[in-house]
Every structure is written in structure tokens, then in C-alpha cells.
Amino acid sequence: MNLYTKKKFNKIISKFSFLTKKDKKNMLEARFERDYFSLKNNIKVQQYLQKHNVYISLTSSPNRLNKVIAVLYTLDLTNVHKIIINIPQKFQNKQKYGIPKNLLNFPKIVINRKCKKDFGPLMKIIGALYYVKDPNAIIISIDDDTCYPIGMINTFVEECIYSKKKIIFGGSCQQLKYFFWSKPNQLKVLKKKWPVKKSKWPYSDIIEGFAGIVYKAKYLSKLMKIPTLFKSCLVSDDIIISYFMAINNISRKQIWKNKVFNLEYIKQFEYGLDKDALHRGFGFIKNISDNHIDINSVKYYKCLIWLYNQHQKCIKLYSKKKMSNKKKYKQKISKKCKFFITP
């Protein structure tokens, strides 16, 4: 059920001066021209939701926090317990945040500041783990500049609950070659360093956060042990998450539900293309050109090489030091390697 009439919804979004005409048109389409998907009569889902909550999780920068409200108006919150907006004490550990009133007054909002260090876009996941304690809770991460179809949340919830395998689901997944098709030499190097063999559709190497990702919280707990990141990794959350899932044998799968939710229904707000977008490296990588359309291949390559090298160092170190006494072995794993090594 749509909670707004088209007239009322149009009146609400008309006040968002930061949106273009195209943005507002996309919001109306996402809310009223995409099929609504209800879980009300789904007994299995409702029984699960009685025991475990659904959380939406995201992060933003001080310059864009007042625009998050537009994203939230595209979501169906019927089965959502809380919307967690994860904000570090200071952006890039320097700039303070001001919390807009429109967010504080929005239903189900939690401003989560428990994670003091700024992990960049990865805050949308790491921050939530400080708040969500139930390992079987469902966490849906989204971006701060994307217009989502009304059926996305319930589609994610159903897929997550019904899955019996170790899988995370998203609206967009890609193979490595998608990012490096014009750089065959780099692609050849990365294929050798990727933790698992090539995945077959609908499973993929890289899951893309802009299109939303749904996880069970238990798949994410080790992310809190992430080491201090290389700069290119601070703005490569898709690579960090995908690599982490790969080394833990958790598959990445794209969801496509005709007329309800698919990649073609996801539209980016035009402010998402501005220079202050986190995925463009804002605040973390200097000298990024406005027309640097290949930024992903640049930062992803550097990040993947760093991850692989760190991973291999940890494997070599602890394959030599592993003891028959598992407790002692666990104690010997350094903070830098707990992200990569499972005792």
C-alpha cells in the first residue's frame, strides 16, 4: 500500500530545492509507476520479522546530509524497524556535522554516532554494527544519492529470509572485467589475485552498493575488525565488502524482480554526480578531475592490490605460527590480520 497520494507526495518533494525536475520525475515514477510488493500475507516472512528486525543503514557527508531526506521518501518502511544514519564524530576526522531537523523528525530515524572513526562510505555498514546486536537481523545498506523503487525493501527482505545459503543480495553485481575491460593487463593481474574463481550469473565478483545490498548481520561481524585502510580503499567500499565476502565464502547475487525491482528502476539523483560524492573520493583522494569517468578502475585496482598483499602476509604469518592449541593461536592473531584470518 502506498502511504501517500500522488498529489500529496508531489507537494512534499516540491519543497526539495536541491532536486532537479528530472529527479522529482524519477521519484514519482519510483513511488507510483512501479509495482508495489507486499509481504503482509507471507507467513514465513512475518514469523521471521516477529523475532528479527529489519534495519536500513546509510551514511553521508556534512555537505549532503540535508539531502538524504529525498532518498528516504522513496522507501517503503512498512517492515523496517529503524533507519540508521551512521555519522562519525567528524567527517574525515576533521569537519563537524550538523544534523538537519528534517531528518530528526522523519519516522524511525536513529542518528548513530557510536563509530568515532570515519571509514568513508564503509560507515554505512561498520556504523550499523555498533547498533545492531542480533546476528539474524536484516541490514539493508543504501546510498545517500539514489532514488529507489517502492518495491525494493520488501524484495530484499523476502530474498534474505528465504535464502538457505550464505549469500548477500543487491540490485547490481558485476564481474571484475566490467571495470577493467579497457585495461586487459590490469585485469589479468587482478584475476589471479581475486580470492575465488569466476562467478556465474546471477552470482558475481563485485556487488555494488549504490543499488542497495541486503545482509544478515552475522555475515558482517568481522568487518568491525577491519585494519587501518589504504586511501584508495577508503572510497572503495564495494571492493572491501566483495573481497571480504569472497574470502569468507559468502556469494554475491543480483536480484531482478520484473515490474517490482531491477537495476533499470534505480535512478541516481543528479547531485550524486557532484564532486562531493564519496564514491568519487571526496575528502579522501586529491586531484580527482570532473571528467574522470574511469575513477573506479583507478581506485579499485590500487585497493585490490593492497587487500591481496595484506591477505597474503597474514596467511604466511599464521600458517607458520599456527599451534595445535586453538586458544593460543587465536590470541596470537594480530589486529591487522583478524579481518583476513579466521581461527
Side-chain angles (χ1 to χ4, degrees), residues 28-245:
L28 288 167
E29 287 180 356
R31 192 90 203 192
F32 298 99
E33 295 183 25
R34 308 305 178 205
D35 284 4
Y36 182 74
F37 179 54
S38 175
L39 296 173
K40 184 179 179 180
N41 297 321
N42 189 316
I43 296 174
K44 182 175 180 176
V45 169
Q46 292 306 319
Q47 287 177 340
Y48 191 94
L49 296 181
Q50 286 176 9
K51 299 177 181 178
H52 311 289
N53 290 325
V54 176
Y55 299 89
I56 291 172
S57 186
L58 67 154
T59 190
S60 191
S61 64
N63 294 349
R64 295 168 65 145
L65 195 57
N66 67 316
K67 300 174 182 178
V68 167
I69 192 74
V71 179
L72 302 184
Y73 269 107
T74 68
L75 307 174
D76 177 11
L77 303 178
T78 305
N79 295 301
V80 174
H81 179 61
K82 295 291 182 183
I83 303 168
I84 309 171
I85 300 181
N86 303 286
I87 299 172
Q89 294 301 313
K90 292 182 179 180
F91 179 63
Q92 306 166 47
N93 304 309
K94 295 177 183 179
Q95 185 181 353
K96 291 184 178 180
Y97 281 85
I99 312 300
K101 287 184 179 180
N102 61 11
L103 280 185
L104 293 173
N105 296 330
F106 198 85
K108 303 185 179 183
I109 284 288
V110 171
I111 304 297
N112 178 27
R113 312 200 72 171
K114 292 182 179 180
C115 184
K116 296 181 180 180
K117 187 177 179 180
D118 190 354
F119 285 94
L122 202 59
M123 279 291 294
K124 61 188 170 189
I125 294 301
I126 294 179
L129 298 177
Y130 283 82
Y131 185 88
V132 179
K133 302 303 180 184
D134 175 12
N136 290 306
I138 294 172
I139 299 175
I140 299 171
S141 66
I142 60 173
D143 271 11
D144 69 347
D145 56 11
T146 307
C147 177
Y148 298 103
I150 189 69
M152 182 184 80
I153 299 299
N154 285 344
T155 299
F156 277 5
V157 169
E158 184 187 56
E159 289 283 351
C160 191
I161 291 173
Y162 271 77
S163 175
K164 295 180 180 179
K165 299 179 181 179
K166 292 173 69 176
I167 302 174
I168 62 171
F169 300 90
S172 178
C173 292
Q174 304 292 348
Q175 305 294 4
L176 278 171
K177 66 180 180 181
Y178 174 82
F179 302 101
F180 298 96
W181 63 271
S182 63
K183 300 178 179 180
N185 291 335
Q186 287 189 358
L187 179 60
K188 189 176 180 180
V189 170
L190 294 180
K191 280 184 175 181
K192 293 179 180 178
K193 298 182 184 300
W194 192 249
V196 293
K197 293 181 179 179
K198 181 181 176 181
S199 304
K200 293 182 179 180
W201 177 262
Y203 301 95
S204 295
D205 298 325
I206 311 298
I207 193 164
E208 297 191 285
F210 81 92
I213 307 175
V214 60
Y215 320 75
K216 283 186 179 174
K218 62 186 176 184
Y219 296 155
L220 298 166
S221 57
K222 275 182 64 180
L223 270 174
M224 294 183 76
K225 298 172 183 176
I226 196 165
T228 301
L229 290 173
F230 180 59
K231 276 191 175 182
S232 288
C233 288
L234 278 171
V235 286
S236 302
D237 52 309
D238 296 347
I239 294 296
I240 293 284
I241 291 168
S242 299
Y243 192 93
F244 172 78
M245 294 299 163

